[in-house]
Amino acid sequence: MLKYRFPDGFTWGVSSSSYQIEGAASQDGRGPSIWDSFCREPNRIARDENGSVACDHYNRMESDIELIAKTINANAYRFSIAWPRVLPEGEGHVNPAGIGFYDRLVDKLLEQGIKPVCTCYHWDLPLALQKKHGGWQSRRVAELFAEYCEILGTHLGDRVDTWCTLNEPEVVLTAGYRTGVHAPGLMLDEKGVRQVTHHLLLAHGLGTQALRKSITRQGARIGLVHNSTSYSPLTESAEDISATREVFHCENSWLLSPVSHGVYPAELWRELDKNVPETEDGDLAVIATSTDYLGINTYFSTAMVSGERGEIPFEKHYPRTLMNWPVTPDTLYWTTRFVHELYGGKKPLMITESGSAWPDKPQSDNGTSVVNDLARIVYLREHLKGIHRAIEEGLPLEGYFVWSIMDNFEWSAGYEKRFGLIYIDYENQKRIPKASAEWYRNVIKWNGF
Ligand code: GCO
C-alpha cells in the first residue's frame, strides 16, 4: 500500500545536458562551443576545470543508457544536443558523426524502453556564432537556431517523444550576459540584457515553428523549459498566498508572459523606459507560438509573507545543500500552482529538473563501493510530496525529472557539486549507482512511495 500514489502514465524521468556529461570536445568533428572557450579563461571555473572529458558519455553512451535502464528504469531521459557537434560552425555544414551520435542515442533509448526527451539548446552555443554574430545579442542567431532545430526535427523527429527548445533562457541571460559568471561571460547594460532576452524568446518561437514543420512523430510535444524564480508563502493564509503569487508573477512574467500570452508585462515594460528591447512587427506572435507543455526547473524557493518582503529570520536555519541552496520542499507545489494559475491555462506542466548536490563519497561495503546518499533520498521524497499534492488538487502536472542522472560538470562550480543518482569516479570513469538510484527505481516501479 502506497501513501503517495501517482496517476497511471505519470512520467518518471532523469535529466542531463550535453556539455556537462559528453566530453569528447574535439572528437568526430565537433566544433568548439562558448563553454570550451570560457573554461580556458583564468578564474572562470573552480579549479580551472572544464567539460573537455566530463563523464566521457560520448564514448560510453550505450553502456550508460543500459545502466539507466537497469538501475533506475526511468520512463524518460531528458538529454540535450550539442549544437556545435551537429553544426560545427553553427550553420551550414552538418557533421554526419555529430547527428549520427544523437541518432544512435535516440535508438538506444527506444531499445531500452525509455522515452527520448530532447533539449535543443542547453547553453553550449557554437563559438563561431559568438565570434561572428555576438551570440544571443544578435537576432540572426535566433534565426540560425530555427535552422538548427529544423535539422534536428528532420533527423530525429520520427522518434523523439518530447522536445524542449531552450533550457532556462533566464539563466542564459542573467549568468551569461548580466553577471558574466557563465559563458560568454558578458556584463551588458539593462538594454543589452533585455535585447538578449528578446532574441532568446524569439529563438524559442522560431525553433518551435521549425520543429513543428519538421517532426513527423504523431503526438510529439514541444515546449520551453523555464527556470522559475520561486517563492512559497510562509503560511497558507489568503494574504500570504496572494502576496507570494504577486511576487512570483513579477519575477517570472518577463519570460512567461510573452511565451504564454504574447505580451511583455506592461508595468515592467513601462519601468524599462528607454531600455526596452528593439522588436519587429510580429515578434510577440512568434514568441507566443503554440506549444504543448511548459517545463519548469526549480530547486528552492524564498519564503514570503504578506506586508513585508525579505529574509524570514528562521530561513537562516533551513538545511542547505552543497550549493548552499535552502531545502524548501514546498517549492514544487507552489511553483506548479502559480505557473498554472498565471501562465498555464490548460497546458500540461512537467518538472524538468529538480535535485540536490551533496558531498557524496563512496564507501566500501564487503569490497563493493556504495554511496549512501540518504540526504538526496530525503530531498526527493519530501519534494515529491509537493508534486503529489499538486496533482491531487487537479493541477496538470504530468512528469518529474531528477537532476541529474549522473554527477557532472556543474558549470562555474566544476565537478565538486555532485547532483547525480549515479556517482562518477572521474579518475577512472567508473559509474556507481547511489542509494538514491535504487530508491527512485522503486518509486518508478510502484508509481509512488
Ligand atoms: C540549471 C541547469 C543545470 C544545472 C542544474 C544544477 O538548471 O542550472 O539546467 O545544467 O546543472 O540546475 O544547478
Side-chain angles (χ1 to χ4, degrees):
M1 188 59 193
L2 296 173
K3 182 169 184 183
Y4 300 94
R5 176 163 174 65
F6 285 73
D8 291 344
F10 186 78
T11 295
W12 295 103
V14 289
S15 269
S16 73
S17 89
S18 43
Y19 190 75
Q20 293 179 272
I21 68 167
E22 283 182 3
S26 50
Q27 195 172 329
D28 293 348
R30 176 185 180 278
S33 75
I34 56 175
W35 273 92
D36 297 288
S37 170
F38 188 68
C39 290
R40 283 195 294 271
E41 295 178 22
N43 308 317
R44 290 293 203 180
I45 311 295
R47 299 169 298 283
D48 285 334
E49 292 170 345
N50 60 60
S52 54
V53 176
C55 308
D56 195 31
H57 175 69
Y58 181 80
N59 293 305
R60 300 163 189 268
M61 179 271 286
E62 283 81 5
S63 56
D64 279 342
I65 302 306
E66 286 165 6
L67 186 64
I68 293 172
K70 176 165 170 277
T71 59
I72 296 166
N73 197 20
N75 309 148
Y77 173 52
R78 176 177 172 247
F79 63 95
S80 81
I81 291 185
W83 188 343
R85 202 179 285 285
V86 173
L87 287 161
E89 294 300 309
E91 56 187 310
H93 161 68
V94 174
N95 173 23
I99 194 69
F101 170 70
Y102 297 107
D103 209 40
R104 292 198 315 277
L105 169 55
V106 168
D107 284 343
K108 188 66 182 177
L109 287 166
L110 294 174
E111 171 204 289
Q112 297 290 315
I114 301 173
K115 283 188 294 188
V117 176
C118 174
T119 301
C120 301
Y121 183 72
H122 199 125
W123 308 356
D124 41 2
L125 186 77
L127 182 60
L129 299 185
Q130 188 67 38
K131 288 182 171 176
K132 185 174 175 185
H133 298 289
W136 293 109
Q137 288 179 265
S138 162
R139 185 185 179 90
R140 180 69 184 128
V141 171
E143 295 161 356
L144 291 171
F145 175 73
E147 292 178 17
Y148 159 62
C149 286
E150 185 163 352
I151 291 166
L152 300 186
T154 303
H155 280 84
L156 307 172
D158 57 330
R159 289 157 286 159
V160 168
D161 178 85
T162 301
W163 294 87
C164 320
T165 51
L166 303 176
N167 178 73
E168 302 188 356
E170 175 63 34
V171 176
V172 173
L173 73 97
T174 303
Y177 290 87
R178 188 191 290 282
T179 62
V181 296
H182 278 187
L186 300 178
M187 299 173 80
L188 304 182
D189 62 15
E190 191 61 32
K191 184 169 178 68
V193 168
R194 298 294 172 173
Q195 194 65 52
V196 163
T197 313
H198 187 69
H199 293 153
L200 284 163
L201 290 172
L202 198 57
H204 159 69
L206 292 170
T208 299
Q209 292 176 358
L211 287 168
R212 195 70 78 193
K213 75 181 182 188
S214 55
I215 60 180
T216 54
R217 189 183 185 288
Q218 286 305 316
R221 301 196 300 181
I222 305 168
L224 175 70
V225 169
H226 172 65
N227 179 71
S228 81
T229 305
S230 290
Y231 296 87
S232 302
L234 184 65
T235 74
E236 299 209 7
S237 66
E239 298 79 9
D240 281 2
I241 291 172
S242 172
T244 310
R245 181 186 294 108
E246 192 180 329
V247 170
F248 187 93
H249 180 53
C250 180
E251 300 274 321
N252 292 278
S253 61
W254 187 256
L255 279 159
L256 291 183
S257 287
V259 170
S260 306
H261 306 316
V263 286
Y264 278 112
E267 197 173 324
L268 290 179
W269 186 271
R270 276 196 302 278
E271 282 171 20
L272 280 174
D273 189 26
K274 63 185 183 322
N275 291 326
V276 295
E278 306 298 324
T279 64
E280 293 185 14
D281 287 351
D283 279 359
L284 271 295
V286 170
I287 292 171
T289 298
S290 172
T291 52
D292 308 303
Y293 77 95
L294 178 63
I296 308 164
N297 294 352
T298 185
Y299 289 82
F300 61 93
S301 57
T302 301
M304 294 304 303
V305 290
S306 63
E308 62 191 73
R309 188 176 173 182
E311 202 155 334
I312 309 293
F314 69 76
E315 241 192 355
K316 293 185 174 52
H317 309 302
Y318 276 0
R320 288 180 177 262
T321 71
L322 201 58
M323 296 295 281
N324 198 35
W325 296 343
V327 178
T328 52
D330 284 352
T331 303
L332 292 182
Y333 167 71
W334 288 106
T335 300
T336 302
R337 177 167 159 182
F338 292 146
V339 167
H340 175 70
E341 289 171 352
L342 293 163
Y343 313 107
K346 300 250 180 298
K347 202 177 294 270
L349 304 175
M350 291 202 287
I351 302 295
T352 33
E353 283 182 28
S354 163
S356 53
W358 302 99
D360 302 330
K361 285 200 178 20
Q363 299 155 322
S364 178
D365 179 6
N366 288 332
T368 305
S369 289
V370 297
V371 181
N372 282 318
D373 58 333
L374 303 183
R376 184 171 288 103
I377 293 174
V378 172
Y379 180 99
L380 290 174
R381 188 188 69 196
E382 294 312 302
H383 283 73
L384 283 173
K385 289 178 184 174
I387 297 273
H388 188 266
R389 177 184 175 188
I391 293 169
E392 289 287 286
E393 291 184 7
L395 297 180
L397 189 51
E398 299 190 353
Y400 177 82
F401 291 73
V402 174
W403 183 270
S404 176
I405 178 54
M406 62 180 81
D407 297 336
N408 57 53
F409 178 73
E410 179 49 31
W411 309 113
S412 49
Y415 293 98
E416 182 194 51
K417 311 298 186 192
R418 294 177 178 271
F419 278 87
L421 296 173
I422 296 172
Y423 181 92
I424 300 292
D425 181 337
Y426 294 105
E427 296 295 313
N428 55 31
Q429 290 296 348
K430 187 178 170 194
R431 274 79 168 133
I432 306 173
K434 302 176 188 175
S436 56
E438 170 71 11
W439 183 83
Y440 193 52
R441 186 175 63 80
N442 284 320
V443 170
I444 295 169
K445 181 179 163 189
W446 297 327
N447 199 24
F449 55 95

